[in-house]
Amino acid sequence: MRKTRVFFSVITLLAIWVNILLTRKLNPFAARLKSATTTTVTTAAFPQRPDIYCGISERQVDEIQIHVIGWRRLTPLASLLNQLEKANYDGWDIPVPLYIHLDGGAHPAVKEFGENVSWAHGEKHIDIREDNVGLREMWLSSLGDAAKAAGDNTLMLMFEDDTSVSSIYFQWILAAIDSYGRNRRCRDSNLMGFSLSPIRVEELSPPPFIPWNSKDVVGSSFAYLSVVPSSWGVAYWSDRWNEFSDFVDVRLKPPYYNTEEERSLITKKYDDLRLTPEEYQIPYCRSNVWPKSWKRFMIDFMYARGLVMLYPSLPGEMGLATTLALAGEHVSADEGKNPRIADLATNYDYATMTVFLPEFIMDVPVVGLHLARTTRRELRRIGAKFLMGVQEKCDACDDLLRVW
């Protein structure tokens, strides 16, 4: 009789174990949701705190790279590269390589300039495409190839040719690294990277482009975190970008995205475009109808994972970089004064920025998709809930969910 009870106890335990495994396999996002809603602070809910290790650790970053995308605009490209050349790189003893990426059909003067421009801070690489692939593919392939070659601990700075950059931009990067990412062990696993430009408009709610001032939401803090990715002067960690590359390689293909619908933009308004099935759309988000955009996929990626990016919140809404909002693939020629253009900060040094930044990343204020104050725990909960909804609505999307 005793052997029988032991046998059934073993069978019961095995059944419970199998049920747990099946639940995790069928619903891999339940663990994310549970960790985001638990009241216990654990490394599952929150990655390790930098105050435990970062404050006493040495800076161990493999490389900082600079990438610049250009095409047919010589004057702003030359101005940007001149600003980058003259910037202050004190405090970083490793060479800083420069990668110039020119899309197919680049103006001959742009190509000649890119081939001949000097770069005193490291090796220069020139990437001239034969075919015109567009801005989205230039971003995805340029950083994608660089991240794969770099490994897991390189910071990749990206600038489009209509960007202006402050002479102290690199000091902001070093201050951000030393505060929140000295090495992979202490770097927060939810940190996608560092923005040089501030958010000045709320672009993801209808109606879009409502002016926004970070000081009204995060107060006197020198920086804030947001689930919204940056594209105007930004640094992405190579390991996070590699994960994003795996995701976007799947997300850009049918049935998850319809590139043919992008050609309808000539006859259709944005709101009428059917670029992606409804079950994969971020709720109440304008980026669902952004055509030819790489950033819309980064929004998808960061939203679902609850990832964040560090932004400056300086007096006067100043930035360490800003867009010039010149006419191009995503900016019309008749927009007039663009509210996203920021004045450049020049009156801070590394020591000042390090002192002004919140000491620990857990203390940095957080804003969500529509720039309302929130928490990292809430971002993770929202993202996990969204992915569970995607899983429930689709019958054959395992390949996407595995990388999302």
Side-chain angles (χ1 to χ4, degrees):
M1 187 71 177
R2 184 177 179 181
K3 290 183 178 179
T4 302
R5 284 199 296 267
V6 171
F7 174 77
F8 279 110
S9 296
V10 172
I11 293 298
T12 302
L13 288 173
L14 284 173
I16 293 172
W17 180 69
V18 170
N19 181 63
I20 291 172
L21 289 179
L22 287 174
T23 300
R24 289 181 177 176
K25 183 177 181 181
L26 294 174
N27 196 344
F29 312 112
R32 290 195 203 177
L33 185 60
K34 183 178 180 180
S35 68
T37 54
T38 182
T39 56
T40 302
V41 178
T42 66
T43 55
F46 293 113
Q48 60 270 29
R49 291 195 59 160
D51 50 318
I52 297 175
Y53 180 73
C54 272
I56 60 173
S57 66
E58 296 182 359
R59 184 198 294 157
Q60 296 175 346
V61 176
D62 293 342
E63 192 174 54
I64 300 177
Q65 302 175 353
I66 296 176
H67 296 261
V68 175
I69 292 177
W71 189 40
R72 302 185 67 81
R73 297 186 292 213
L74 175 60
T75 300
L77 175 64
S79 176
L80 170 62
L81 289 174
N82 182 57
Q83 290 172 333
L84 291 171
E85 172 77 13
K86 293 181 178 180
N88 180 2
Y89 295 90
D90 291 347
W92 182 256
D93 299 327
I94 303 173
V96 180
L98 171 66
Y99 296 80
I100 301 174
H101 307 275
L102 303 180
D103 199 0
H107 194 285
V110 171
K111 290 194 288 186
E112 182 180 2
F113 175 79
E115 290 170 340
N116 295 322
V117 66
S118 62
W119 180 248
H121 306 288
E123 190 173 352
K124 186 191 76 174
H125 306 264
I126 184 76
D127 165 28
I128 302 176
R129 308 295 175 92
E130 293 184 6
D131 299 323
N132 182 259
V133 297
L135 188 58
R136 176 174 64 200
E137 179 59 23
M138 290 297 292
W139 266 85
L140 296 178
S141 59
S142 298
L143 288 190
D145 292 345
K148 288 177 182 177
D152 294 332
N153 195 32
T154 289
L155 197 60
M156 307 179 302
L157 284 147
M158 175 62 92
F159 301 92
E160 295 180 14
D161 61 0
D162 65 338
T163 305
S164 183
V165 63
S166 167
S167 60
I168 62 169
Y169 89 92
F170 202 81
Q171 300 305 303
W172 162 261
I173 292 296
L174 293 182
I177 289 173
D178 289 346
S179 296
Y180 311 124
R182 285 177 176 266
N183 50 61
R184 289 196 73 203
R185 179 178 171 185
C186 69
R187 172 161 43 99
D188 192 297
S189 61
N190 283 356
L191 183 62
M192 196 74 196
F194 310 120
S195 178
L196 297 169
S197 57
I199 298 176
R200 290 173 53 93
V201 296
E202 207 287 76
E203 61 180 350
L204 297 177
S205 292
F209 310 123
I210 298 173
W212 184 80
N213 188 329
S214 62
K215 293 299 184 186
D216 295 336
V217 179
V218 305
S220 61
S221 177
F222 203 68
Y224 58 94
L225 298 166
S226 179
V227 72
V228 178
S230 175
S231 58
W232 291 304
V234 60
Y236 284 99
W237 289 107
S238 55
D239 52 353
R240 299 285 82 86
W241 191 275
N242 279 326
E243 294 170 0
F244 170 64
S245 290
D246 291 341
F247 163 74
V248 78
D249 284 347
V250 179
R251 183 68 173 86
L252 251 173
K253 297 175 182 177
Y256 310 121
Y257 191 79
N258 184 2
T259 54
E260 293 298 319
E261 181 73 1
E262 292 178 331
R263 300 177 183 178
S264 302
L265 188 60
I266 299 174
T267 58
K268 291 183 179 179
K269 297 179 180 179
Y270 272 25
D271 290 339
D272 296 328
L273 294 175
R274 297 296 177 260
L275 299 172
T276 188
E278 186 175 347
E279 57 265 33
Y280 310 121
Q281 295 182 9
I282 304 301
Y284 311 109
C285 187
R286 289 284 301 170
S287 63
N288 292 319
V289 294
W290 286 356
K292 301 180 181 180
S293 168
W294 74 269
K295 187 176 175 180
R296 61 157 295 145
F297 297 109
M298 182 62 82
I299 292 170
D300 291 355
F301 182 70
M302 291 180 63
Y303 177 87
R305 292 197 177 196
L307 303 178
V308 290
M309 173 157 284
L310 185 80
Y311 282 87
S313 183
L314 307 181
E317 298 184 90
M318 291 187 296
L320 289 310
T322 185
T323 176
L324 300 176
L326 301 178
E329 190 165 353
H330 299 299
V331 179
S332 70
D334 57 355
E335 281 192 9
K337 172 66 175 178
N338 195 307
R340 289 172 289 196
I341 300 175
D343 293 329
L344 294 178
T346 57
N347 58 338
Y348 299 99
D349 57 19
Y350 167 83
T352 303
M353 289 188 280
T354 304
V355 170
F356 282 176
L357 283 170
E359 186 174 3
F360 309 128
I361 199 168
M362 300 292 290
D363 300 326
V364 180
V366 183
V367 298
L369 192 68
H370 301 299
L371 307 184
R373 191 72 178 264
T374 186
T375 64
R376 293 198 300 159
R377 185 193 300 271
E378 179 64 7
L379 292 179
R380 286 170 58 85
R381 185 196 69 79
I382 291 172
K385 185 177 180 181
F386 167 74
L387 284 180
M388 289 176 68
V390 172
Q391 186 182 45
E392 291 170 359
K393 294 174 185 176
C394 71
D395 297 325
C397 57
D398 287 350
D399 58 336
L400 178 61
L401 292 175
R402 273 195 295 269
V403 291
W404 207 342

